Amino acid sequence: TSHFVGLQIGVLLKGICYLVEEIFHLQSRYHGSFWRALSACFPLHWHRPMLLACGSAYVTLVNGDRQPLSFHLALASLCQLLNLALGLH
């Protein structure tokens, strides 16, 4: 479950990086529409159900660990950023 949550966090982080780049091209590529740029950077039509299912399973499993959820999410985010930085995706 944590692997799938990590993969979903990776997709969200990549989408954020793409969005930051596409902000500079709003007029030329998206005719000034922020929502078109957002939908191009975050293909959530398939990832949304997977993110919800993995997120709820992850919260259920982590509650017995006695560590805060924010700690686990931060650790998974750092691991995904390291994967992106090293080109391991």
Side-chain angles (χ1 to χ4, degrees):
T1 303
S2 61
H3 175 71
F4 287 124
V5 169
L7 289 175
Q8 294 303 310
I9 289 173
V11 169
L12 291 174
L13 290 173
K14 280 175 65 174
I16 290 170
C17 292
Y18 291 153
L19 183 63
V20 168
E21 182 204 346
E22 292 299 317
I23 289 292
F24 298 108
H25 305 288
L26 279 179
Q27 293 301 324
S28 62
R29 294 183 185 168
Y30 303 105
H31 306 292
S33 174
F34 179 76
W35 294 111
R36 286 184 187 171
L38 190 67
S39 65
C41 296
F42 291 100
L44 291 179
H45 62 278
W46 182 81
H47 294 287
R48 187 179 304 145
M50 178 67 94
L51 184 63
L52 289 174
C54 289
S56 61
Y58 193 69
V59 167
T60 303
L61 292 174
V62 169
N63 280 340
D65 192 11
R66 304 219 192 281
Q67 294 286 338
L69 178 63
S70 59
F71 171 76
H72 287 282
L73 290 177
L75 191 59
S77 297
L78 288 175
C79 289
Q80 283 303 316
L81 283 174
L82 184 62
N83 283 339
L84 290 173
L86 296 175
L88 299 175
H89 50 91

